[in-house]
Amino acid sequence: MADMTNMTNMTNMTNMTNMTNTPTLLDVELVSPGWINKYLLKYQLADGSVIEYESVSRKGLEQYKAQLETNARGEGGRPEHADAVCIVPVLPDDSLLLIREFRYPVNGWVIAFPAGLIEPGETLRECVDRELMEEAGCRVRTDFDGDPLIRLPQSGFSSVGMGEENVSVAIAYVEPAGEPRLQGPELIETFTLQRNDVGPFLDKNTDLIGTRAQLLLEAVRRTNVLKKRLALQQNPITKSDFA
């Protein structure tokens, strides 16, 4: 009981500290417009000093300012609409579908899961179907027993050090549906991984890899290990199990 009380007190103290020291947004200036807009944010710190911080967003000035104000009120943790979706496709044989995509900002091929921006007026399901067809020639299954699309309850932010894009992650049970319909300068190759092959793939991969793909694949690796250990009733689990 004492430990639980201490944890509660620590949580409350942390929240109070964060509220007391939260910088105040003074101004948002659009520095350079484009498909990705560059902004200059001006903040006043708790000690009265003023700092400037560079950021980027696909949102226009007024929409971006509104998002920042929502976050300041503590209402941005579960946005009603995500900016983009990352799809974890599971094929009928239970293998995972991934992509290698040439990403121009890094000048290299990057391992990732299919993903894309949610277009205005588009539902998450519509975006998932469109992106799967465009990038991988797949569609969400219609013969699945249960909901073939499982969305994580909270969307996450991609790179809070430079922007406010939030991404919804969805696990999708999919099936092949034809040739990919790549858009414009997209260069994408698809490949599959059986769950048992995920660990060796992560250990040997030398391609660039997206953080979401890396974390999700590592979770699959560790889940596989746990299942095997439980099946064999071997405990405790050691570091070597994940090597």
Side-chain angles (χ1 to χ4, degrees), residues 57-167:
S57 175
R58 292 188 181 92
K59 296 181 175 69
L61 178 59
E62 294 307 315
Q63 188 183 9
Y64 182 44
K65 287 175 65 175
Q67 181 63 63
L68 295 180
E69 291 166 359
T70 297
N71 295 343
R73 295 193 299 269
E75 301 170 0
R78 290 180 178 267
E80 183 178 353
H81 301 291
D83 297 318
V85 64
C86 172
I87 310 157
V88 183
V90 182
L91 289 164
D93 66 354
D94 203 40
S95 63
L96 302 174
L97 176 67
L98 291 100
I99 63 172
R100 286 187 181 88
E101 180 173 6
F102 186 85
R103 286 296 195 175
Y104 295 93
V106 295
N107 192 30
W109 292 86
V110 181
I111 302 296
F113 285 107
L117 297 175
I118 300 175
E119 296 181 352
E122 193 174 44
T123 66
L124 182 78
R125 173 62 181 266
E126 290 169 342
C127 180
V128 168
D129 274 326
R130 176 177 56 77
E131 290 294 343
L132 283 173
M133 196 65 240
E134 288 178 5
E135 297 188 0
C138 287
R139 65 188 174 200
V140 177
R141 289 172 59 180
T142 57
D143 62 344
F144 196 73
D145 184 15
D147 192 343
L149 189 66
I150 304 170
R151 178 183 181 181
L152 270 61
Q154 183 177 10
S155 59
F157 288 80
S158 294
S159 181
V160 292
M162 61 183 295
E164 43 57 79
E165 179 185 71
N166 70 84
V167 180

Side-chain angles (χ1 to χ4, degrees), residues 5-221:
T5 301
N6 289 338
M7 288 180 63
T8 301
N9 289 339
M10 289 177 63
T11 301
N12 290 339
M13 289 176 62
T14 301
N15 290 341
M16 289 175 61
T17 301
N18 289 340
M19 291 174 63
T20 302
N21 293 331
T22 299
T24 300
L25 180 64
L26 300 177
D27 188 39
V28 181
E29 178 187 352
L30 175 60
V31 176
S32 176
W35 185 63
I36 297 178
N37 302 301
K38 181 179 178 180
Y39 291 98
L40 188 65
L41 311 179
K42 184 179 292 186
Y43 281 96
Q44 184 175 49
L45 304 184
D47 63 4
S49 60
V50 175
I51 66 166
E52 293 182 337
Y53 196 98
E54 296 179 353
S55 69
V56 296
S57 175
R58 292 188 181 92
K59 296 181 175 69
L61 178 59
E62 294 307 315
Q63 188 183 9
Y64 182 44
K65 287 175 65 175
Q67 181 63 63
L68 295 180
E69 291 166 359
T70 297
N71 295 343
R73 295 193 299 269
E75 301 170 0
R78 290 180 178 267
E80 183 178 353
H81 301 291
D83 297 318
V85 64
C86 172
I87 310 157
V88 183
V90 182
L91 289 164
D93 66 354
D94 203 40
S95 63
L96 302 174
L97 176 67
L98 291 100
I99 63 172
R100 286 187 181 88
E101 180 173 6
F102 186 85
R103 286 296 195 175
Y104 295 93
V106 295
N107 192 30
W109 292 86
V110 181
I111 302 296
F113 285 107
L117 297 175
I118 300 175
E119 296 181 352
E122 193 174 44
T123 66
L124 182 78
R125 173 62 181 266
E126 290 169 342
C127 180
V128 168
D129 274 326
R130 176 177 56 77
E131 290 294 343
L132 283 173
M133 196 65 240
E134 288 178 5
E135 297 188 0
C138 287
R139 65 188 174 200
V140 177
R141 289 172 59 180
T142 57
D143 62 344
F144 196 73
D145 184 15
D147 192 343
L149 189 66
I150 304 170
R151 178 183 181 181
L152 270 61
Q154 183 177 10
S155 59
F157 288 80
S158 294
S159 181
V160 292
M162 61 183 295
E164 43 57 79
E165 179 185 71
N166 70 84
V167 180
S168 182
V169 177
I171 300 169
Y173 292 89
V174 307
E175 61 187 1
E179 293 298 318
R181 302 170 184 170
L182 299 178
Q183 303 295 306
E186 286 184 325
L187 297 171
I188 297 175
E189 301 172 352
T190 60
F191 69 101
T192 62
L193 279 178
Q194 295 292 333
R195 293 175 189 260
N196 287 337
D197 295 330
V198 168
F201 171 80
L202 288 173
D203 292 335
K204 297 177 182 178
N205 175 57
T206 57
D207 287 332
L208 304 179
I209 188 168
T211 301
R212 283 190 295 270
Q214 189 177 36
L215 291 173
L216 290 166
L217 289 175
E218 184 63 34
V220 170
R221 182 223 295 257

